[in-house]
Amino acid sequence: MALSTYLSGTKDHIDLETGERTSKSRPIMCESDFEGQGGFKHLRHGQQPEGVPYIHDMPTLNPFWAAGFSFGRGHFVVNIPYDQHLPWIFQGEEISIGLRGFSYGYDYYSPEKAACYHYYGRKDIPMFWENNDIYRGSGVYGMNRLNEIIHMVSPSINGETKDWIRTDELKYGIGKVRDLQRFFDTFGINVEKQKVEKHLCRFVGRPMQKEFIPFLRTNEMGLDYDKITYRFVDKQANNK
């Protein structure tokens, strides 16, 4: 398992002088959708909901991995190292790590209490995209690789698949513990139509905990998805 979530901002959450928390809320990871166009279309986690946890004495199970806060045993980064061949990829990295981790048998949890915070909205600091014009177009190969490895729809033009970087494909590839289609089916992700079932956050939390935790393996090696038959469907699709 890995503890992983986005970080709350410092404003309204922590006293910067004393270091004491002023809020008991923390985010959970449950909001994701496809964004971008053409070859850059990918699954991206959006702004996550925050709230006071209803589950106590254990972390909250959620489907997605977050780059902002991630703690686990060292074998996680050994088995799922950061892919060194994704040039100019900023958005999309999280679903890549998350799905690769899922395929190796890892589950993700949000901690019950926030352990650290982030300064959002800082000004006059270097940004990832400030050199975008210098490396224009290089991200296409990286996004093609990212989508191909995690079994998303491969970007194409007129039915012809674009080129993608195949270096170290196995090293940064998919594990053999779980099939990615099981993840897509469980959490309402249609990779062919590039659409998701909305309102997944209504399931993540106590409902998901109640539904999935009974299928924890007795050897402490994560959830046994072979026994999980649940499939998320947005019951409020016509009542947004």
Side-chain angles (χ1 to χ4, degrees), residues 58-82:
M58 69 179 300
T60 299
L61 182 67
N62 41 224
F64 302 123
W65 179 87
F69 178 93
S70 180
F71 281 85
R73 293 186 180 274
H75 50 68
F76 181 84
V77 74
V78 171
N79 289 323
I80 305 98
Y82 279 87

Side-chain angles (χ1 to χ4, degrees), residues 6 29 32-36 39-46 64-67 80-83 86-101 128-129 139 142-152 172:
Y6 284 167
M29 297 299 298
S32 193
D33 203 347
F34 287 93
E35 75 165 23
F40 278 96
K41 197 163 188 178
H42 59 279
L43 197 64
R44 180 204 173 192
H45 307 329
F64 302 123
W65 179 87
I80 305 98
Y82 279 87
D83 192 335
L86 297 177
W88 215 246
I89 294 298
F90 183 72
Q91 309 292 1
E93 164 227 17
E94 290 175 315
I95 194 63
S96 172
I97 293 284
L99 287 177
R100 288 166 56 208
F128 170 82
W129 45 82
M143 187 58 71
N144 290 353
R145 172 189 174 89
L146 186 152
N147 281 328
E148 185 72 28
I149 286 179
I150 61 176
H151 299 180
M152 293 292 192
Y172 300 110

Side-chain angles (χ1 to χ4, degrees), residues 17-239:
E17 293 185 359
T18 65
E20 297 292 328
R21 289 190 303 151
T22 58
S23 170
K24 294 183 179 180
S25 69
R26 52 78 179 114
I28 59 173
M29 297 299 298
C30 58
E31 180 66 34
S32 193
D33 203 347
F34 287 93
E35 75 165 23
Q37 296 180 349
F40 278 96
K41 197 163 188 178
H42 59 279
L43 197 64
R44 180 204 173 192
H45 307 329
Q47 183 174 357
Q48 304 300 316
E50 289 197 33
V52 177
Y54 292 106
I55 298 170
H56 302 286
D57 300 323
M58 69 179 300
T60 299
L61 182 67
N62 41 224
F64 302 123
W65 179 87
F69 178 93
S70 180
F71 281 85
R73 293 186 180 274
H75 50 68
F76 181 84
V77 74
V78 171
N79 289 323
I80 305 98
Y82 279 87
D83 192 335
Q84 301 298 303
H85 306 289
L86 297 177
W88 215 246
I89 294 298
F90 183 72
Q91 309 292 1
E93 164 227 17
E94 290 175 315
I95 194 63
S96 172
I97 293 284
L99 287 177
R100 288 166 56 208
F102 174 87
S103 74
Y104 273 87
Y106 291 98
D107 303 311
Y108 309 115
Y109 294 80
S110 290
E112 179 183 352
K113 298 179 181 180
C116 57
Y117 302 86
H118 183 70
Y119 284 103
Y120 292 102
R122 292 175 295 172
K123 299 179 179 180
D124 301 324
I125 59 172
M127 296 291 185
F128 170 82
W129 45 82
E130 65 180 10
N131 296 313
N132 185 52
D133 290 340
I134 299 177
Y135 303 101
R136 184 175 299 278
S138 60
V140 172
Y141 296 101
M143 187 58 71
N144 290 353
R145 172 189 174 89
L146 186 152
N147 281 328
E148 185 72 28
I149 286 179
I150 61 176
H151 299 180
M152 293 292 192
V153 175
S154 182
S156 62
I157 296 180
N158 298 324
E160 183 178 348
T161 302
K162 291 182 178 180
D163 293 333
W164 60 283
I165 304 168
R166 298 175 183 269
T167 307
D168 293 329
E169 180 181 351
L170 293 179
K171 178 179 179 180
Y172 300 110
I174 299 302
K176 299 180 179 180
V177 177
R178 297 172 180 156
D179 184 78
L180 292 187
Q181 190 59 48
R182 188 174 296 275
F183 182 92
F184 301 142
D185 293 341
T186 301
F187 298 109
I189 301 170
N190 189 319
V191 297
E192 292 185 0
K193 295 181 179 179
Q194 295 187 312
K195 294 182 178 180
V196 303
E197 295 284 334
K198 304 295 186 180
H199 305 118
L200 178 60
C201 293
R202 297 179 182 178
F203 172 66
V204 177
R206 283 188 293 190
M208 183 175 176
Q209 206 93 348
K210 181 179 179 180
E211 184 77 34
F212 286 16
I213 290 299
F215 298 106
L216 280 172
R217 298 178 187 273
T218 56
N219 62 2
E220 299 183 353
M221 296 297 287
L223 293 167
D224 187 350
Y225 271 82
D226 288 337
K227 297 180 179 179
I228 295 175
T229 59
Y230 178 87
R231 300 292 183 267
F232 177 74
V233 176
D234 182 11
K235 296 179 180 180
Q236 288 79 35
N238 296 320
N239 184 25

